[in-house]
Amino acid sequence: MNTTGYSCFSCGATQPSSFSGFTCPACGGNLDVTYDHAAARAGFLAALGEGARPDIFRYAPLLPVHDLALAPPVRVGQTPLYHADRLAAVAGLQNVWVKDDGLNPSASFKDRAGAVALVVARQRKAAVIAGATTGNAGSSMACLSASVGQPCVIFLPEKAPPAKIAQLLVFGAKVIAVRGTYDQAFDLCVEVCRARGWFNRNTGANPFTREGKKTCSFEIWEQLGRRAPDWVAVSCGDGNILSGIWKGWCDLKAMGLIERAPRLLCAQAHTSNAISRAVWSVQRAGRPARWSDLRIEPVQATTLADSISVDLPRDGLAAVRAVIESRGIAVTVPDEDILAAIPELARNSGVFAEPAASCSWACVRKAARDGQIKRGESVVC
């Protein structure tokens, strides 16, 4: 591994590679895994050559893993990137690509995070992996755990969609339905993991989920001929996918493999917009003197896009920083636009998306209509 330790997104405190916790011991903030990019570059490029692995672990020189024999046998990552001409024309754009992560084992982007978390948990000889979910993250963790026989416990709000609860049970996870919101399920999971010594896979609280999610940026870079698009649009709930996507581009730039990173579009529903509100606040007032001074106010999320319906984003600070540092934007749309985006995506690109995923396209359409994305700029959803 080329990891050098951990850095706190909030207070900046650092920890050595031997640190075995999940959050910053100084302030409780979320941690970022750090690397020696100069040392990693040669191995990273070599791993992409002839005989490269057909999954996210082709990027092992920039992942916190040292025993690939512990990787799940199901293929995670290396999903297609489609150039969608007709979809682009709908929004008056010229270059739109759709990254179809619905072709991962559990049909979700979250498999990227779960695969890396699973390997780290097995490296640490964890007895149980646990996580809180609105559906997709839990189904992903249950699926990947089942592929290697790893015990898995999932906490979720009792009002989660029945189909997603069924998927968890089919994969053999122990399911604990919480009488409350996702945020309450998250907090209960944290407490149980602390009390029982379980491996906590929770978004934000676990720095390794971001490492799995950043592999999507590496793939886009490869699939676009080792270059960056102008924009990457990301649906956001907790903010961890957004911060992961940004980290992947930052890693590529730190290794000298791109000259510039893309701008990020944070896509959210009107009624689940805590990250967007914080981004707009920073854009109006300027960056705080210290990121630890930024406060992300919770909302009462009611969007039907359940996978991005979050009151208090658990990786919110890292997500806000990603948007600001990329010179990006935050865009929100009503649920009716999110629903309308589903058939529009399907009929113009051949890709089916659930509401949480279609939100990214709905927000790209709005940004193009408002002139925030220019006609000739390239966009990946």
Side-chain angles (χ1 to χ4, degrees):
M1 293 193 298
N2 295 295
T3 56
T4 58
Y6 304 86
S7 175
C8 177
F9 278 102
S10 182
C11 73
T14 60
Q15 307 300 326
S17 295
S18 58
F19 179 70
S20 60
F22 290 105
T23 55
C24 177
C27 74
N30 291 353
L31 294 176
D32 186 31
V33 181
T34 56
Y35 296 87
D36 182 338
H37 289 96
R41 177 186 163 113
F44 182 87
L45 291 173
L48 306 183
E50 186 176 352
R53 288 183 63 110
D55 62 10
I56 66 170
F57 294 104
R58 69 199 282 125
Y59 308 118
L62 269 180
L63 293 175
V65 300
H66 59 73
D67 188 354
L68 292 183
L70 299 178
V74 291
R75 188 266 311 149
V76 176
Q78 290 303 298
T79 57
L81 180 71
Y82 300 121
H83 193 202
D85 290 337
R86 289 188 298 117
L87 188 66
V90 168
L93 298 172
Q94 293 177 322
N95 294 296
V96 170
W97 282 265
V98 175
K99 182 68 167 162
D100 187 7
D101 258 42
L103 298 182
N104 277 314
S106 77
S108 171
F109 187 105
K110 303 295 179 68
D111 289 340
R112 296 178 183 273
V116 172
L118 176 65
V119 174
V120 174
R122 298 183 79 196
Q123 287 174 171
R124 294 185 176 187
K125 303 187 185 309
V128 175
I129 296 178
T133 184
T134 54
N136 288 346
S139 296
S140 169
M141 201 68 255
C143 167
L144 298 170
S145 295
S147 75
V148 297
Q150 173 74 43
C152 178
V153 177
I154 300 298
F155 297 76
L156 82 174
E158 64 178 353
K159 292 183 179 179
K164 293 187 176 181
I165 297 175
Q167 190 179 20
L168 290 167
L169 296 172
V170 167
F171 283 126
K174 181 175 182 178
V175 178
I176 299 176
V178 178
R179 289 178 180 170
T181 64
Y182 162 73
D183 299 84
Q184 291 169 312
F186 183 104
D187 292 338
L188 179 59
C189 178
V190 170
E191 290 303 317
V192 173
C193 285
R194 183 180 295 120
R196 300 195 176 188
W198 292 353
F199 185 88
N200 181 357
R201 176 254 181 262
N202 279 343
T203 294
N206 185 317
F208 308 114
T209 59
R210 189 180 300 106
E211 300 308 295
K213 292 174 181 179
K214 75 181 184 183
T215 61
C216 187
S217 296
F218 297 159
E219 289 179 20
I220 293 169
W221 170 75
E222 281 197 86
Q223 291 167 325
L224 291 180
R226 299 192 175 186
R227 60 187 178 88
D230 294 309
W231 291 90
V232 178
V234 184
S235 296
C236 294
D238 263 320
N240 195 237
I241 296 178
L242 187 67
S243 70
I245 291 289
W246 179 236
K247 182 167 188 184
W249 294 109
C250 290
D251 280 349
L252 291 168
K253 189 174 182 181
M255 290 188 291
L257 299 178
I258 55 173
E259 292 185 1
R260 59 156 187 86
R263 299 173 71 182
L264 297 183
L265 186 157
C266 167
Q268 293 198 289
H270 276 345
T271 54
S272 181
N273 64 351
I275 292 174
S276 295
R277 287 158 63 103
V279 168
W280 298 332
S281 175
V282 172
Q283 289 174 333
R284 285 193 303 268
R287 297 191 193 190
R290 298 171 300 179
W291 281 113
S292 58
D293 293 334
L294 180 67
R295 293 291 177 265
I296 299 178
E297 298 298 329
V299 297
Q300 290 188 324
T302 58
T303 176
L304 54 76
D306 56 272
S307 293
I308 55 171
S309 183
V310 174
D311 293 350
L312 178 63
R314 303 297 176 153
D315 206 27
L317 175 57
V320 172
R321 287 186 58 172
V323 177
I324 298 301
E325 290 168 5
S326 75
R327 300 176 301 109
I329 58 176
V331 179
T332 67
V333 290
D335 279 1
E336 51 264 35
D337 286 6
I338 292 173
L339 288 177
I342 295 174
E344 192 166 87
L345 267 167
R347 295 167 188 175
N348 291 286
S349 72
V351 174
F352 179 82
E354 69 163 338
S358 72
C359 182
S360 67
W361 171 244
C363 288
V364 166
R365 280 207 66 177
K366 180 180 179 183
R369 184 179 66 244
D370 294 346
Q372 293 174 292
I373 297 177
K374 308 304 180 186
R375 176 174 172 79
E377 292 181 315
S378 53
V379 184
V380 173
C381 290

